[in-house]
Amino acid sequence: MVNAVPIKEKTVNRIIYAIAAVLCGLVIALFLAYFIILNSKPFIFYSFLAFLAIVPLGLLYDRISKYIFAFSIISIITGALAYTKVLQGIFTYYLIAVLILMIIMLKYHKNVGFFEYIALNVGALSPAIAYVAGIQLSQVISINIAIAGYYALFALIIIVVLKRSDYFERPIKMIRESVQGVYQYLAFTLSMCALVMLILPIWPANIIIGNQLPYIPISISNYSGPGNYSIYVNVSKYVEYLNTNLTNIRLGYSNRTYQAGLIKSYISQSARFNSTNTHILSYINASPTSNTLNLRLYLFPINQSYGGYLGQMRGSYPDKTKSVTGQAGNLETNGKVFRNDTVYYTFEGKIKEQTKENISISPYAQFQPVCGYSQGTSVRVSFVDYTPISSFMFDTRRGYDLAMYNATDNYSSYMHSFERFANSSAIGQKSGNFSIYLNDTCAEIAFVSENSSAVSLLFNESYNGAISSTREVMEYNFTGIVKHSAFFTYGIGYLSSIYKNLTENATASAG
């Protein structure tokens, strides 16, 4: 009976330690998931303080230092291998090598130690697990995993320095002795703190309050029942609320709550924020109560993209459904929802350039290259001379080379050879023009005259290129509208959607 109480107390303490490990482990795992996946620069920057919070634990409990060291090395190696995609071509061989290592360690793990055995196996498998999870598809996730490892390594360095410092050796020893008998109470306190963090709605999530969202009312007049619909929406009046690729809008039913009333849809690739008609392809399953179906086009912040609900769907869409847009609602809720801002945007479009050039012509011929410096360049060359002159356009370098090869240094020879090989010509004209389409190539213009002369050239070029500009827009005040804190279950779903978007976008761009 004498040993009954100590045995019971020891068992209770083990249970407390186990509960503390599980609850604290869940909180740490959630924190690391937000750190790695959320990719919020302020969050990553200020999270360094959270990593420093493990320094006191490392000073009080020696095994913590081993955990920190193992975590830091595993994270750095895993992040580096995922970022460089080293395993992409050798994944099978890597797995075989890891299995061989595990078998060897299983035989000799008694000489290594239990902790070292577990750490080595987890460390060896972590890059493989990360590869299977698709982490190598996102450089953002790979980099953040490595950053977490470096943060932990820095905290470990602080622990080691403080332990070896003559100034801190005595205070650390005194603190460790004072808490020697109350580890179970510290574990219980940590358990309660972790439990409170898990049950409180403090985790970042993307819960949207539908009745606070600004929206454009849409009315479809020829609705005939569930199916695929190709909807043309005139959003020209609300261009200041849209981003360049229109991914900040969602379609929903007007008679349901936002969460239950979303319509699976996507925006046509040809749609732009400045288009009169925006093309939305949607699957609508509402039962027809009349020929008219009322919908809402919800507006989100300019710099937000909710592509998960705008992913392309399969099936055919009738190219006939028009809609009528009404006056936008909820533009002001809980004070000023929108604020004035300047948005910088870039999109592909036609760029036009005009240049002038004067050239002197000495008998008998003078040449001028015409080049297109991008794909699909259209060039119109106009020339003006005070006296009649002959001009020839060679669309390719080969035609120009043949003409020069067959010409001798006299006027009639140039005229005869150039007329034979040129793609177009203007004989004895004071003015004229040539139009040519150049696909990142060059052409040649030749001017032939018996006397000295001067020609004025005007080049008009039109080509596809990136047009960058700015525009004044209305943008959300984020407070209380889109980003909310919620229970950790919602946070997990939020992180899952971000992770999916990061890896899917990387896959699409790589393909």
Side-chain angles (χ1 to χ4, degrees):
M1 297 295 294
V2 178
N3 295 328
V5 174
I7 291 175
K8 184 177 179 181
E9 183 178 343
K10 192 173 182 180
T11 303
V12 171
N13 289 341
R14 285 181 175 177
I15 294 173
I16 292 175
Y17 295 150
I19 293 173
V22 171
L23 293 177
C24 292
L26 286 175
V27 173
I28 292 171
L30 272 173
F31 172 80
L32 290 174
Y34 276 100
F35 184 96
I36 293 167
I37 299 174
L38 190 62
N39 196 37
S40 168
K41 293 180 181 178
F43 181 81
I44 292 175
F45 178 77
Y46 292 112
S47 292
F48 183 67
L49 298 176
F51 281 88
L52 292 182
I54 62 177
V55 171
L57 291 175
L59 294 174
L60 295 175
Y61 195 47
D62 289 332
R63 185 168 288 186
I64 291 291
S65 298
K66 293 183 178 181
Y67 297 153
I68 298 171
F69 177 75
F71 170 80
S72 62
I73 297 301
I74 291 171
S75 297
I76 293 170
I77 294 175
T78 301
L81 291 178
Y83 180 81
T84 56
K85 300 181 180 180
V86 171
L87 296 184
Q88 203 155 3
I90 60 169
F91 182 68
T92 304
Y93 304 105
Y94 178 81
L95 275 183
I96 293 173
V98 170
L99 290 174
I100 293 173
L101 175 64
M102 292 177 68
I103 293 172
I104 295 173
M105 293 299 298
L106 184 62
K107 186 176 181 180
Y108 298 103
H109 77 277
K110 292 182 179 179
N111 297 328
V112 177
F114 178 76
F115 174 78
E116 288 79 5
Y117 172 72
I118 296 297
L120 283 172
N121 283 294
V122 172
L125 284 173
S126 291
I129 295 171
Y131 180 84
V132 173
I135 287 175
Q136 76 282 353
L137 297 175
S138 172
Q139 291 187 344
V140 168
I141 297 177
S142 305
I143 291 172
N144 289 343
I145 289 175
I147 291 175
Y150 284 116
Y151 275 12
L153 188 62
F154 190 80
L156 179 62
I157 292 172
I158 294 176
I159 293 172
V160 173
V161 170
L162 292 179
K163 281 185 175 181
R164 294 181 176 275
S165 172
D166 294 334
Y167 296 101
F168 290 96
E169 183 179 4
R170 184 175 176 81
I172 291 173
K173 184 177 181 181
M174 291 176 61
I175 294 173
R176 293 179 68 173
E177 290 176 353
S178 63
V179 298
Q180 190 85 32
V182 294
Y183 277 136
Q184 66 272 29
Y185 299 107
L186 290 176
F188 179 78
T189 302
L190 287 175
S191 298
M192 291 298 99
C193 292
L195 183 61
V196 169
M197 293 181 69
L198 288 173
I199 63 176
L200 287 180
I202 60 174
W203 300 95
N206 205 15
I207 297 178
I208 299 163
I209 302 176
N211 60 5
Q212 292 185 6
L213 284 173
Y215 64 89
I216 303 171
I218 298 172
S219 176
I220 300 177
S221 59
N222 56 347
Y223 183 69
S224 58
N228 290 338
Y229 284 84
S230 178
I231 306 171
Y232 289 88
V233 182
N234 189 336
V235 293
S236 57
K237 292 190 300 182
Y238 308 106
V239 65
E240 67 268 32
Y241 304 120
L242 306 175
N243 61 22
T244 56
N245 54 7
L246 302 181
T247 58
N248 67 320
I249 56 179
R250 283 184 183 174
L251 196 62
Y253 297 108
S254 59
N255 60 345
R256 304 184 197 173
T257 62
Y258 173 79
Q259 283 78 8
L262 282 178
I263 297 173
K264 184 71 175 179
S265 57
Y266 77 97
I267 308 299
S268 171
Q269 293 296 317
S270 61
R272 295 189 184 279
F273 72 89
N274 56 356
S275 299
T276 301
N277 285 320
T278 297
H279 191 189
I280 304 177
L281 305 181
S282 304
Y283 175 76
I284 302 177
N285 63 357
S287 299
T289 56
S290 65
N291 291 333
T292 300
L293 179 67
N294 295 319
L295 304 173
R296 286 183 176 183
L297 194 65
Y298 290 102
L299 300 170
F300 290 84
I302 290 290
N303 58 344
Q304 295 295 303
S305 176
Y306 296 94
Y309 281 95
L310 300 172
Q312 186 167 348
M313 298 175 297
R314 296 177 180 176
S316 58
Y317 293 81
D319 195 20
K320 61 182 181 180
T321 305
K322 302 289 183 180
S323 68
V324 178
T325 58
Q327 186 66 35
N330 275 6
L331 293 181
E332 288 194 14
T333 305
N334 296 332
K336 193 72 174 176
V337 173
F338 286 96
R339 61 182 172 85
N340 288 319
D341 200 1
T342 300
V343 169
Y344 299 87
Y345 64 95
T346 301
F347 62 92
E348 291 294 317
K350 282 289 184 183
I351 296 179
K352 294 183 178 180
E353 294 183 358
Q354 187 179 84
T355 57
K356 293 182 179 180
E357 190 168 345
N358 296 318
I359 63 171
S360 298
I361 300 176
S362 301
Y364 297 101
Q366 184 68 35
F367 309 96
Q368 180 69 31
V370 180
C371 296
Y373 296 105
S374 69
Q375 297 290 325
T377 302
S378 297
V379 183
R380 182 180 176 86
V381 184
S382 303
F383 66 90
V384 177
D385 197 351
Y386 295 105
T387 59
I389 195 172
S390 297
S391 56
F392 304 88
M393 172 63 79
F394 298 91
D395 291 356
T396 63
R397 183 73 186 184
R398 175 175 172 78
Y400 168 75
D401 291 339
L402 289 172
M404 291 299 296
Y405 179 78
N406 288 276
T408 57
D409 194 18
N410 63 76
Y411 176 74
S412 60
S413 178
Y414 276 120
M415 288 292 294
H416 176 74
S417 181
F418 285 4
E419 283 184 290
R420 179 183 174 188
F421 293 102
N423 297 96
S424 54
S425 61
I427 308 299
Q429 302 290 329
K430 288 186 177 181
S431 63
N433 59 76
F434 298 101
S435 294
I436 187 171
Y437 182 84
L438 299 171
N439 200 24
D440 200 18
T441 55
C442 290
E444 290 280 347
I445 297 178
F447 296 97
V448 180
S449 175
E450 289 189 272
N451 305 305
S452 297
S453 184
V455 176
S456 179
L457 297 174
L458 179 64
F459 297 89
N460 285 290
E461 296 184 45
S462 176
Y463 57 92
N464 289 320
I467 300 176
S468 299
S469 186
T470 61
R471 64 185 175 111
E472 295 296 320
V473 301
M474 300 293 284
E475 189 179 24
Y476 266 108
N477 285 329
F478 281 95
T479 306
I481 301 297
V482 175
K483 293 189 176 180
H484 293 268
S485 297
F487 297 102
F488 77 92
T489 52
Y490 291 100
I492 292 172
Y494 178 46
L495 291 176
S496 176
S497 64
I498 296 176
Y499 177 84
K500 184 177 180 181
N501 285 333
L502 285 173
T503 53
E504 283 185 351
N505 291 341
T507 306
S509 61

